[in-house]
PDB file of all heavy atoms in Angstrom:
ATOM      1  N   ALA A   1      27.655 -14.288  15.448  1.00 93.00           N
ATOM      2  CA  ALA A   1      26.323 -13.753  15.690  1.00 93.00           C
ATOM      3  C   ALA A   1      26.104 -12.467  14.883  1.00 93.00           C
ATOM      4  O   ALA A   1      25.037 -12.253  14.303  1.00 93.00           O
ATOM      5  CB  ALA A   1      26.120 -13.485  17.176  1.00 93.00           C
ATOM      6  N   LEU A   2      27.097 -11.598  14.846  1.00 93.00           N
ATOM      7  CA  LEU A   2      26.983 -10.369  14.076  1.00 93.00           C
ATOM      8  C   LEU A   2      26.870 -10.656  12.578  1.00 93.00           C
ATOM      9  O   LEU A   2      26.058 -10.044  11.875  1.00 93.00           O
ATOM     10  CB  LEU A   2      28.175  -9.450  14.355  1.00 93.00           C
ATOM     11  CG  LEU A   2      28.195  -8.771  15.724  1.00 93.00           C
ATOM     12  CD1 LEU A   2      29.506  -8.017  15.935  1.00 93.00           C
ATOM     13  CD2 LEU A   2      27.026  -7.827  15.854  1.00 93.00           C
ATOM     14  N   LEU A   3      27.663 -11.600  12.078  1.00 93.00           N
ATOM     15  CA  LEU A   3      27.614 -11.938  10.662  1.00 93.00           C
ATOM     16  C   LEU A   3      26.271 -12.567  10.288  1.00 93.00           C
ATOM     17  O   LEU A   3      25.683 -12.215   9.254  1.00 93.00           O
ATOM     18  CB  LEU A   3      28.755 -12.899  10.309  1.00 93.00           C
ATOM     19  CG  LEU A   3      30.142 -12.268  10.229  1.00 93.00           C
ATOM     20  CD1 LEU A   3      31.207 -13.336   9.986  1.00 93.00           C
ATOM     21  CD2 LEU A   3      30.201 -11.228   9.132  1.00 93.00           C
ATOM     22  N   LEU A   4      25.784 -13.477  11.104  1.00 92.00           N
ATOM     23  CA  LEU A   4      24.503 -14.122  10.802  1.00 92.00           C
ATOM     24  C   LEU A   4      23.347 -13.135  10.930  1.00 92.00           C
ATOM     25  O   LEU A   4      22.414 -13.167  10.123  1.00 92.00           O
ATOM     26  CB  LEU A   4      24.279 -15.331  11.732  1.00 92.00           C
ATOM     27  CG  LEU A   4      25.164 -16.537  11.431  1.00 92.00           C
ATOM     28  CD1 LEU A   4      24.956 -17.601  12.492  1.00 92.00           C
ATOM     29  CD2 LEU A   4      24.888 -17.080  10.056  1.00 92.00           C
ATOM     30  N   GLY A   5      23.379 -12.263  11.914  1.00 92.00           N
ATOM     31  CA  GLY A   5      22.330 -11.243  12.048  1.00 92.00           C
ATOM     32  C   GLY A   5      22.325 -10.299  10.862  1.00 92.00           C
ATOM     33  O   GLY A   5      21.263  -9.977  10.313  1.00 92.00           O
ATOM     34  N   GLY A   6      23.485  -9.833  10.450  1.00 91.00           N
ATOM     35  CA  GLY A   6      23.570  -8.949   9.292  1.00 91.00           C
ATOM     36  C   GLY A   6      23.130  -9.649   8.016  1.00 91.00           C
ATOM     37  O   GLY A   6      22.432  -9.080   7.177  1.00 91.00           O
ATOM     38  N   GLY A   7      23.526 -10.897   7.856  1.00 89.00           N
ATOM     39  CA  GLY A   7      23.125 -11.659   6.670  1.00 89.00           C
ATOM     40  C   GLY A   7      21.615 -11.893   6.635  1.00 89.00           C
ATOM     41  O   GLY A   7      20.982 -11.813   5.577  1.00 89.00           O
ATOM     42  N   GLY A   8      21.017 -12.180   7.786  1.00 88.00           N
ATOM     43  CA  GLY A   8      19.577 -12.371   7.851  1.00 88.00           C
ATOM     44  C   GLY A   8      18.822 -11.093   7.530  1.00 88.00           C
ATOM     45  O   GLY A   8      17.824 -11.108   6.802  1.00 88.00           O
ATOM     46  N   PHE A   9      19.315  -9.967   8.071  1.00 89.00           N
ATOM     47  CA  PHE A   9      18.680  -8.688   7.774  1.00 89.00           C
ATOM     48  C   PHE A   9      18.743  -8.392   6.284  1.00 89.00           C
ATOM     49  O   PHE A   9      17.752  -7.999   5.672  1.00 89.00           O
ATOM     50  CB  PHE A   9      19.365  -7.553   8.558  1.00 89.00           C
ATOM     51  CG  PHE A   9      18.910  -6.190   8.141  1.00 89.00           C
ATOM     52  CD1 PHE A   9      17.676  -5.705   8.566  1.00 89.00           C
ATOM     53  CD2 PHE A   9      19.686  -5.396   7.307  1.00 89.00           C
ATOM     54  CE1 PHE A   9      17.238  -4.458   8.173  1.00 89.00           C
ATOM     55  CE2 PHE A   9      19.264  -4.156   6.906  1.00 89.00           C
ATOM     56  CZ  PHE A   9      18.033  -3.675   7.349  1.00 89.00           C
ATOM     57  N   TYR A  10      19.909  -8.622   5.660  1.00 89.00           N
ATOM     58  CA  TYR A  10      20.041  -8.354   4.235  1.00 89.00           C
ATOM     59  C   TYR A  10      19.123  -9.268   3.422  1.00 89.00           C
ATOM     60  O   TYR A  10      18.506  -8.824   2.455  1.00 89.00           O
ATOM     61  CB  TYR A  10      21.498  -8.532   3.789  1.00 89.00           C
ATOM     62  CG  TYR A  10      21.647  -8.374   2.291  1.00 89.00           C
ATOM     63  CD1 TYR A  10      21.586  -7.114   1.719  1.00 89.00           C
ATOM     64  CD2 TYR A  10      21.803  -9.482   1.466  1.00 89.00           C
ATOM     65  CE1 TYR A  10      21.681  -6.958   0.354  1.00 89.00           C
ATOM     66  CE2 TYR A  10      21.886  -9.338   0.097  1.00 89.00           C
ATOM     67  CZ  TYR A  10      21.828  -8.074  -0.459  1.00 89.00           C
ATOM     68  OH  TYR A  10      21.913  -7.919  -1.811  1.00 89.00           O
ATOM     69  N   ALA A  11      19.024 -10.536   3.803  1.00 86.00           N
ATOM     70  CA  ALA A  11      18.194 -11.469   3.047  1.00 86.00           C
ATOM     71  C   ALA A  11      16.724 -11.054   3.094  1.00 86.00           C
ATOM     72  O   ALA A  11      16.013 -11.112   2.086  1.00 86.00           O
ATOM     73  CB  ALA A  11      18.363 -12.875   3.599  1.00 86.00           C
ATOM     74  N   VAL A  12      16.254 -10.589   4.232  1.00 84.00           N
ATOM     75  CA  VAL A  12      14.852 -10.155   4.339  1.00 84.00           C
ATOM     76  C   VAL A  12      14.671  -8.833   3.627  1.00 84.00           C
ATOM     77  O   VAL A  12      13.701  -8.632   2.900  1.00 84.00           O
ATOM     78  CB  VAL A  12      14.417 -10.064   5.820  1.00 84.00           C
ATOM     79  CG1 VAL A  12      13.067  -9.407   5.945  1.00 84.00           C
ATOM     80  CG2 VAL A  12      14.415 -11.426   6.458  1.00 84.00           C
ATOM     81  N   TYR A  13      15.578  -7.895   3.797  1.00 85.00           N
ATOM     82  CA  TYR A  13      15.474  -6.582   3.190  1.00 85.00           C
ATOM     83  C   TYR A  13      15.530  -6.665   1.662  1.00 85.00           C
ATOM     84  O   TYR A  13      14.811  -5.964   0.966  1.00 85.00           O
ATOM     85  CB  TYR A  13      16.592  -5.670   3.714  1.00 85.00           C
ATOM     86  CG  TYR A  13      16.512  -4.257   3.187  1.00 85.00           C
ATOM     87  CD1 TYR A  13      15.551  -3.380   3.698  1.00 85.00           C
ATOM     88  CD2 TYR A  13      17.370  -3.801   2.212  1.00 85.00           C
ATOM     89  CE1 TYR A  13      15.460  -2.100   3.226  1.00 85.00           C
ATOM     90  CE2 TYR A  13      17.290  -2.519   1.737  1.00 85.00           C
ATOM     91  CZ  TYR A  13      16.339  -1.661   2.248  1.00 85.00           C
ATOM     92  OH  TYR A  13      16.241  -0.377   1.769  1.00 85.00           O
ATOM     93  N   ALA A  14      16.371  -7.529   1.138  1.00 82.00           N
ATOM     94  CA  ALA A  14      16.512  -7.662  -0.300  1.00 82.00           C
ATOM     95  C   ALA A  14      15.397  -8.501  -0.906  1.00 82.00           C
ATOM     96  O   ALA A  14      15.292  -8.606  -2.125  1.00 82.00           O
ATOM     97  CB  ALA A  14      17.872  -8.269  -0.641  1.00 82.00           C
ATOM     98  N   GLY A  15      14.595  -9.130  -0.076  1.00 78.00           N
ATOM     99  CA  GLY A  15      13.487  -9.924  -0.594  1.00 78.00           C
ATOM    100  C   GLY A  15      13.871 -11.340  -0.947  1.00 78.00           C
ATOM    101  O   GLY A  15      13.119 -12.027  -1.634  1.00 78.00           O
ATOM    102  N   LEU A  16      15.004 -11.787  -0.499  1.00 80.00           N
ATOM    103  CA  LEU A  16      15.433 -13.142  -0.809  1.00 80.00           C
ATOM    104  C   LEU A  16      14.631 -14.185  -0.045  1.00 80.00           C
ATOM    105  O   LEU A  16      14.494 -15.315  -0.510  1.00 80.00           O
ATOM    106  CB  LEU A  16      16.927 -13.307  -0.495  1.00 80.00           C
ATOM    107  CG  LEU A  16      17.879 -12.385  -1.263  1.00 80.00           C
ATOM    108  CD1 LEU A  16      19.295 -12.556  -0.763  1.00 80.00           C
ATOM    109  CD2 LEU A  16      17.779 -12.653  -2.745  1.00 80.00           C
ATOM    110  N   LEU A  17      14.102 -13.816   1.117  1.00 76.00           N
ATOM    111  CA  LEU A  17      13.362 -14.789   1.929  1.00 76.00           C
ATOM    112  C   LEU A  17      11.844 -14.607   1.857  1.00 76.00           C
ATOM    113  O   LEU A  17      11.126 -15.561   1.671  1.00 76.00           O
ATOM    114  CB  LEU A  17      13.805 -14.698   3.398  1.00 76.00           C
ATOM    115  CG  LEU A  17      15.206 -15.192   3.715  1.00 76.00           C
ATOM    116  CD1 LEU A  17      15.472 -15.048   5.198  1.00 76.00           C
ATOM    117  CD2 LEU A  17      15.378 -16.627   3.294  1.00 76.00           C
ATOM    118  N   PHE A  18      11.352 -13.403   2.025  1.00 72.00           N
ATOM    119  CA  PHE A  18       9.917 -13.190   2.160  1.00 72.00           C
ATOM    120  C   PHE A  18       9.388 -12.229   1.106  1.00 72.00           C
ATOM    121  O   PHE A  18       9.157 -11.059   1.380  1.00 72.00           O
ATOM    122  CB  PHE A  18       9.571 -12.662   3.555  1.00 72.00           C
ATOM    123  CG  PHE A  18       9.964 -13.593   4.664  1.00 72.00           C
ATOM    124  CD1 PHE A  18      11.001 -13.260   5.519  1.00 72.00           C
ATOM    125  CD2 PHE A  18       9.317 -14.781   4.849  1.00 72.00           C
ATOM    126  CE1 PHE A  18      11.365 -14.100   6.536  1.00 72.00           C
ATOM    127  CE2 PHE A  18       9.681 -15.636   5.867  1.00 72.00           C
ATOM    128  CZ  PHE A  18      10.705 -15.293   6.712  1.00 72.00           C
ATOM    129  N   GLY A  19       9.169 -12.671  -0.082  1.00 65.00           N
ATOM    130  CA  GLY A  19       8.468 -11.857  -1.076  1.00 65.00           C
ATOM    131  C   GLY A  19       9.360 -10.952  -1.885  1.00 65.00           C
ATOM    132  O   GLY A  19      10.572 -11.080  -1.931  1.00 65.00           O
ATOM    133  N   ALA A  20       8.708 -10.010  -2.528  1.00 58.00           N
ATOM    134  CA  ALA A  20       9.366  -9.104  -3.450  1.00 58.00           C
ATOM    135  C   ALA A  20      10.249  -8.118  -2.693  1.00 58.00           C
ATOM    136  O   ALA A  20      10.040  -7.840  -1.532  1.00 58.00           O
ATOM    137  CB  ALA A  20       8.322  -8.350  -4.255  1.00 58.00           C
ATOM    138  N   PRO A  21      11.253  -7.586  -3.374  1.00 53.00           N
ATOM    139  CA  PRO A  21      12.122  -6.608  -2.715  1.00 53.00           C
ATOM    140  C   PRO A  21      11.350  -5.337  -2.340  1.00 53.00           C
ATOM    141  O   PRO A  21      10.436  -4.922  -3.026  1.00 53.00           O
ATOM    142  CB  PRO A  21      13.182  -6.320  -3.766  1.00 53.00           C
ATOM    143  CG  PRO A  21      12.662  -6.818  -5.047  1.00 53.00           C
ATOM    144  CD  PRO A  21      11.635  -7.853  -4.742  1.00 53.00           C
ATOM    145  N   ALA A  22      11.750  -4.769  -1.226  1.00 52.00           N
ATOM    146  CA  ALA A  22      11.135  -3.528  -0.772  1.00 52.00           C
ATOM    147  C   ALA A  22      11.791  -2.366  -1.473  1.00 52.00           C
ATOM    148  O   ALA A  22      12.941  -2.058  -1.224  1.00 52.00           O
ATOM    149  CB  ALA A  22      11.287  -3.393   0.738  1.00 52.00           C
ATOM    150  N   THR A  23      11.053  -1.709  -2.366  1.00 56.00           N
ATOM    151  CA  THR A  23      11.604  -0.568  -3.086  1.00 56.00           C
ATOM    152  C   THR A  23      10.814   0.672  -2.735  1.00 56.00           C
ATOM    153  O   THR A  23       9.602   0.610  -2.472  1.00 56.00           O
ATOM    154  CB  THR A  23      11.549  -0.793  -4.614  1.00 56.00           C
ATOM    155  OG1 THR A  23      10.180  -1.011  -4.970  1.00 56.00           O
ATOM    156  CG2 THR A  23      12.381  -1.993  -5.009  1.00 56.00           C
ATOM    157  N   ALA A  24      11.471   1.769  -2.737  1.00 53.00           N
ATOM    158  CA  ALA A  24      10.847   3.023  -2.365  1.00 53.00           C
ATOM    159  C   ALA A  24       9.909   3.529  -3.473  1.00 53.00           C
ATOM    160  O   ALA A  24       8.918   4.183  -3.197  1.00 53.00           O
ATOM    161  CB  ALA A  24      11.907   4.084  -2.074  1.00 53.00           C
ATOM    162  N   ASP A  25      10.219   3.224  -4.717  1.00 58.00           N
ATOM    163  CA  ASP A  25       9.403   3.707  -5.817  1.00 58.00           C
ATOM    164  C   ASP A  25       8.487   2.599  -6.345  1.00 58.00           C
ATOM    165  O   ASP A  25       8.403   2.353  -7.534  1.00 58.00           O
ATOM    166  CB  ASP A  25      10.278   4.292  -6.930  1.00 58.00           C
ATOM    167  CG  ASP A  25      11.381   3.323  -7.359  1.00 58.00           C
ATOM    168  OD1 ASP A  25      11.967   2.666  -6.477  1.00 58.00           O
ATOM    169  OD2 ASP A  25      11.634   3.219  -8.575  1.00 58.00           O
ATOM    170  N   ALA A  26       7.790   1.941  -5.435  1.00 61.00           N
ATOM    171  CA  ALA A  26       6.853   0.885  -5.815  1.00 61.00           C
ATOM    172  C   ALA A  26       5.670   1.515  -6.551  1.00 61.00           C
ATOM    173  O   ALA A  26       5.261   2.636  -6.272  1.00 61.00           O
ATOM    174  CB  ALA A  26       6.359   0.143  -4.582  1.00 61.00           C
ATOM    175  N   GLU A  27       5.117   0.772  -7.480  1.00 75.00           N
ATOM    176  CA  GLU A  27       4.001   1.266  -8.275  1.00 75.00           C
ATOM    177  C   GLU A  27       2.765   1.409  -7.435  1.00 75.00           C
ATOM    178  O   GLU A  27       2.423   0.520  -6.671  1.00 75.00           O
ATOM    179  CB  GLU A  27       3.711   0.290  -9.413  1.00 75.00           C
ATOM    180  CG  GLU A  27       4.003   0.844 -10.770  1.00 75.00           C
ATOM    181  CD  GLU A  27       3.651  -0.152 -11.848  1.00 75.00           C
ATOM    182  OE1 GLU A  27       2.450  -0.376 -12.067  1.00 75.00           O
ATOM    183  OE2 GLU A  27       4.574  -0.696 -12.430  1.00 75.00           O
ATOM    184  N   GLU A  28       2.079   2.522  -7.551  1.00 79.00           N
ATOM    185  CA  GLU A  28       0.818   2.734  -6.851  1.00 79.00           C
ATOM    186  C   GLU A  28      -0.262   1.934  -7.569  1.00 79.00           C
ATOM    187  O   GLU A  28      -0.319   1.928  -8.796  1.00 79.00           O
ATOM    188  CB  GLU A  28       0.456   4.208  -6.865  1.00 79.00           C
ATOM    189  CG  GLU A  28       1.451   5.081  -6.151  1.00 79.00           C
ATOM    190  CD  GLU A  28       0.833   5.689  -4.911  1.00 79.00           C
ATOM    191  OE1 GLU A  28      -0.374   5.595  -4.730  1.00 79.00           O
ATOM    192  OE2 GLU A  28       1.610   6.271  -4.143  1.00 79.00           O
ATOM    193  N   PRO A  29      -1.131   1.271  -6.804  1.00 85.00           N
ATOM    194  CA  PRO A  29      -2.204   0.535  -7.471  1.00 85.00           C
ATOM    195  C   PRO A  29      -3.152   1.498  -8.175  1.00 85.00           C
ATOM    196  O   PRO A  29      -3.446   2.587  -7.676  1.00 85.00           O
ATOM    197  CB  PRO A  29      -2.907  -0.201  -6.328  1.00 85.00           C
ATOM    198  CG  PRO A  29      -2.552   0.565  -5.111  1.00 85.00           C
ATOM    199  CD  PRO A  29      -1.202   1.175  -5.363  1.00 85.00           C
ATOM    200  N   GLU A  30      -3.640   1.091  -9.317  1.00 88.00           N
ATOM    201  CA  GLU A  30      -4.532   1.937 -10.084  1.00 88.00           C
ATOM    202  C   GLU A  30      -5.916   1.916  -9.438  1.00 88.00           C
ATOM    203  O   GLU A  30      -6.484   0.855  -9.200  1.00 88.00           O
ATOM    204  CB  GLU A  30      -4.634   1.439 -11.516  1.00 88.00           C
ATOM    205  CG  GLU A  30      -5.336   2.413 -12.412  1.00 88.00           C
ATOM    206  CD  GLU A  30      -5.239   1.997 -13.872  1.00 88.00           C
ATOM    207  OE1 GLU A  30      -4.155   1.630 -14.311  1.00 88.00           O
ATOM    208  OE2 GLU A  30      -6.277   2.030 -14.532  1.00 88.00           O
ATOM    209  N   LEU A  31      -6.420   3.088  -9.102  1.00 89.00           N
ATOM    210  CA  LEU A  31      -7.703   3.204  -8.446  1.00 89.00           C
ATOM    211  C   LEU A  31      -8.827   3.202  -9.467  1.00 89.00           C
ATOM    212  O   LEU A  31      -8.702   3.799 -10.546  1.00 89.00           O
ATOM    213  CB  LEU A  31      -7.773   4.483  -7.611  1.00 89.00           C
ATOM    214  CG  LEU A  31      -6.748   4.611  -6.495  1.00 89.00           C
ATOM    215  CD1 LEU A  31      -6.844   5.976  -5.849  1.00 89.00           C
ATOM    216  CD2 LEU A  31      -6.954   3.526  -5.471  1.00 89.00           C
ATOM    217  N   GLU A  32      -9.917   2.544  -9.111  1.00 90.00           N
ATOM    218  CA  GLU A  32     -11.081   2.554  -9.982  1.00 90.00           C
ATOM    219  C   GLU A  32     -11.779   3.910  -9.847  1.00 90.00           C
ATOM    220  O   GLU A  32     -11.802   4.492  -8.765  1.00 90.00           O
ATOM    221  CB  GLU A  32     -12.044   1.444  -9.575  1.00 90.00           C
ATOM    222  CG  GLU A  32     -11.490   0.066  -9.793  1.00 90.00           C
ATOM    223  CD  GLU A  32     -12.491  -1.001  -9.376  1.00 90.00           C
ATOM    224  OE1 GLU A  32     -13.711  -0.706  -9.319  1.00 90.00           O
ATOM    225  OE2 GLU A  32     -12.061  -2.119  -9.121  1.00 90.00           O
ATOM    226  N   PRO A  33     -12.370   4.399 -10.913  1.00 89.00           N
ATOM    227  CA  PRO A  33     -13.080   5.673 -10.797  1.00 89.00           C
ATOM    228  C   PRO A  33     -14.327   5.502  -9.934  1.00 89.00           C
ATOM    229  O   PRO A  33     -14.907   4.430  -9.853  1.00 89.00           O
ATOM    230  CB  PRO A  33     -13.452   6.008 -12.246  1.00 89.00           C
ATOM    231  CG  PRO A  33     -13.401   4.714 -12.972  1.00 89.00           C
ATOM    232  CD  PRO A  33     -12.392   3.861 -12.261  1.00 89.00           C
ATOM    233  N   LEU A  34     -14.690   6.593  -9.277  1.00 85.00           N
ATOM    234  CA  LEU A  34     -15.881   6.563  -8.428  1.00 85.00           C
ATOM    235  C   LEU A  34     -17.125   6.384  -9.299  1.00 85.00           C
ATOM    236  O   LEU A  34     -17.159   6.826 -10.449  1.00 85.00           O
ATOM    237  CB  LEU A  34     -16.007   7.874  -7.646  1.00 85.00           C
ATOM    238  CG  LEU A  34     -14.978   8.081  -6.545  1.00 85.00           C
ATOM    239  CD1 LEU A  34     -15.138   9.464  -5.947  1.00 85.00           C
ATOM    240  CD2 LEU A  34     -15.130   7.032  -5.481  1.00 85.00           C
ATOM    241  N   PRO A  35     -18.148   5.753  -8.746  1.00 88.00           N
ATOM    242  CA  PRO A  35     -19.383   5.618  -9.525  1.00 88.00           C
ATOM    243  C   PRO A  35     -20.022   6.974  -9.771  1.00 88.00           C
ATOM    244  O   PRO A  35     -19.727   7.952  -9.086  1.00 88.00           O
ATOM    245  CB  PRO A  35     -20.265   4.724  -8.650  1.00 88.00           C
ATOM    246  CG  PRO A  35     -19.678   4.777  -7.298  1.00 88.00           C
ATOM    247  CD  PRO A  35     -18.237   5.123  -7.443  1.00 88.00           C
ATOM    248  N   ASP A  36     -20.911   7.023 -10.726  1.00 92.00           N
ATOM    249  CA  ASP A  36     -21.584   8.260 -11.128  1.00 92.00           C
ATOM    250  C   ASP A  36     -22.703   8.554 -10.142  1.00 92.00           C
ATOM    251  O   ASP A  36     -23.867   8.238 -10.394  1.00 92.00           O
ATOM    252  CB  ASP A  36     -22.123   8.085 -12.546  1.00 92.00           C
ATOM    253  CG  ASP A  36     -22.658   9.363 -13.116  1.00 92.00           C
ATOM    254  OD1 ASP A  36     -22.229  10.433 -12.664  1.00 92.00           O
ATOM    255  OD2 ASP A  36     -23.518   9.298 -14.003  1.00 92.00           O
ATOM    256  N   ILE A  37     -22.338   9.147  -8.977  1.00 94.00           N
ATOM    257  CA  ILE A  37     -23.326   9.405  -7.936  1.00 94.00           C
ATOM    258  C   ILE A  37     -23.303  10.849  -7.514  1.00 94.00           C
ATOM    259  O   ILE A  37     -22.326  11.579  -7.762  1.00 94.00           O
ATOM    260  CB  ILE A  37     -23.076   8.519  -6.679  1.00 94.00           C
ATOM    261  CG1 ILE A  37     -21.702   8.791  -6.087  1.00 94.00           C
ATOM    262  CG2 ILE A  37     -23.271   7.059  -6.984  1.00 94.00           C
ATOM    263  CD1 ILE A  37     -21.468   8.138  -4.747  1.00 94.00           C
ATOM    264  N   ALA A  38     -24.399  11.253  -6.887  1.00 95.00           N
ATOM    265  CA  ALA A  38     -24.512  12.579  -6.299  1.00 95.00           C
ATOM    266  C   ALA A  38     -25.302  12.439  -4.999  1.00 95.00           C
ATOM    267  O   ALA A  38     -26.036  11.459  -4.814  1.00 95.00           O
ATOM    268  CB  ALA A  38     -25.236  13.529  -7.247  1.00 95.00           C
ATOM    269  N   PHE A  39     -25.128  13.401  -4.117  1.00 96.00           N
ATOM    270  CA  PHE A  39     -25.828  13.364  -2.845  1.00 96.00           C
ATOM    271  C   PHE A  39     -26.747  14.589  -2.770  1.00 96.00           C
ATOM    272  O   PHE A  39     -26.289  15.722  -2.927  1.00 96.00           O
ATOM    273  CB  PHE A  39     -24.846  13.375  -1.677  1.00 96.00           C
ATOM    274  CG  PHE A  39     -24.031  12.118  -1.599  1.00 96.00           C
ATOM    275  CD1 PHE A  39     -22.757  12.071  -2.145  1.00 96.00           C
ATOM    276  CD2 PHE A  39     -24.546  10.985  -1.014  1.00 96.00           C
ATOM    277  CE1 PHE A  39     -22.011  10.914  -2.083  1.00 96.00           C
ATOM    278  CE2 PHE A  39     -23.805   9.820  -0.953  1.00 96.00           C
ATOM    279  CZ  PHE A  39     -22.523   9.783  -1.487  1.00 96.00           C
ATOM    280  N   VAL A  40     -28.007  14.318  -2.541  1.00 96.00           N
ATOM    281  CA  VAL A  40     -28.996  15.387  -2.419  1.00 96.00           C
ATOM    282  C   VAL A  40     -29.293  15.562  -0.936  1.00 96.00           C
ATOM    283  O   VAL A  40     -29.791  14.632  -0.279  1.00 96.00           O
ATOM    284  CB  VAL A  40     -30.291  15.045  -3.185  1.00 96.00           C
ATOM    285  CG1 VAL A  40     -31.329  16.132  -3.012  1.00 96.00           C
ATOM    286  CG2 VAL A  40     -29.986  14.800  -4.650  1.00 96.00           C
ATOM    287  N   PRO A  41     -28.954  16.718  -0.359  1.00 96.00           N
ATOM    288  CA  PRO A  41     -29.192  16.908   1.084  1.00 96.00           C
ATOM    289  C   PRO A  41     -30.661  17.097   1.391  1.00 96.00           C
ATOM    290  O   PRO A  41     -31.410  17.693   0.629  1.00 96.00           O
ATOM    291  CB  PRO A  41     -28.390  18.164   1.410  1.00 96.00           C
ATOM    292  CG  PRO A  41     -28.289  18.891   0.120  1.00 96.00           C
ATOM    293  CD  PRO A  41     -28.303  17.869  -0.968  1.00 96.00           C
ATOM    294  N   ILE A  42     -31.058  16.568   2.522  1.00 95.00           N
ATOM    295  CA  ILE A  42     -32.405  16.778   3.044  1.00 95.00           C
ATOM    296  C   ILE A  42     -32.280  17.842   4.125  1.00 95.00           C
ATOM    297  O   ILE A  42     -31.392  17.755   4.981  1.00 95.00           O
ATOM    298  CB  ILE A  42     -32.980  15.468   3.632  1.00 95.00           C
ATOM    299  CG1 ILE A  42     -33.141  14.437   2.499  1.00 95.00           C
ATOM    300  CG2 ILE A  42     -34.292  15.710   4.333  1.00 95.00           C
ATOM    301  CD1 ILE A  42     -33.599  13.084   2.966  1.00 95.00           C
ATOM    302  N   ALA A  43     -33.130  18.819   4.076  1.00 94.00           N
ATOM    303  CA  ALA A  43     -33.066  19.924   5.042  1.00 94.00           C
ATOM    304  C   ALA A  43     -33.202  19.373   6.457  1.00 94.00           C
ATOM    305  O   ALA A  43     -33.942  18.411   6.685  1.00 94.00           O
ATOM    306  CB  ALA A  43     -34.179  20.921   4.750  1.00 94.00           C
ATOM    307  N   PRO A  44     -32.498  19.965   7.416  1.00 95.00           N
ATOM    308  CA  PRO A  44     -32.622  19.506   8.799  1.00 95.00           C
ATOM    309  C   PRO A  44     -34.076  19.570   9.275  1.00 95.00           C
ATOM    310  O   PRO A  44     -34.788  20.538   8.997  1.00 95.00           O
ATOM    311  CB  PRO A  44     -31.743  20.483   9.591  1.00 95.00           C
ATOM    312  CG  PRO A  44     -30.809  21.044   8.602  1.00 95.00           C
ATOM    313  CD  PRO A  44     -31.531  21.043   7.297  1.00 95.00           C
ATOM    314  N   MET A  45     -34.487  18.541   9.970  1.00 94.00           N
ATOM    315  CA  MET A  45     -35.859  18.448  10.455  1.00 94.00           C
ATOM    316  C   MET A  45     -35.835  18.349  11.976  1.00 94.00           C
ATOM    317  O   MET A  45     -34.994  17.673  12.542  1.00 94.00           O
ATOM    318  CB  MET A  45     -36.548  17.199   9.883  1.00 94.00           C
ATOM    319  CG  MET A  45     -36.617  17.169   8.379  1.00 94.00           C
ATOM    320  SD  MET A  45     -37.107  15.581   7.657  1.00 94.00           S
ATOM    321  CE  MET A  45     -38.421  15.012   8.654  1.00 94.00           C
ATOM    322  N   VAL A  46     -36.785  19.034  12.629  1.00 94.00           N
ATOM    323  CA  VAL A  46     -36.994  18.905  14.069  1.00 94.00           C
ATOM    324  C   VAL A  46     -38.410  18.363  14.229  1.00 94.00           C
ATOM    325  O   VAL A  46     -39.375  19.036  13.853  1.00 94.00           O
ATOM    326  CB  VAL A  46     -36.807  20.235  14.812  1.00 94.00           C
ATOM    327  CG1 VAL A  46     -37.092  20.059  16.287  1.00 94.00           C
ATOM    328  CG2 VAL A  46     -35.400  20.759  14.600  1.00 94.00           C
TER     329      VAL A  46
END
């Protein structure tokens, strides 16, 4: 049970079973620049 549990943990952690390996220095997705906008405030109205 200990051997199979440890082997299963390693297989998932290393990415052998479910997707890419989990690395600490994964690439950050490149963000798109914000659109060319501005906000014009409207004075508070009562």
Side-chain angles (χ1 to χ4, degrees):
L2 288 174
L3 286 175
L4 288 174
F9 171 77
Y10 175 75
V12 171
Y13 183 75
L16 300 174
L17 291 180
F18 300 110
T23 58
D25 52 320
E27 247 182 71
E28 297 246 350
E30 191 172 314
L31 299 174
E32 295 180 21
L34 290 175
D36 188 24
I37 60 171
F39 294 97
V40 178
I42 295 175
M45 300 168 43
V46 177

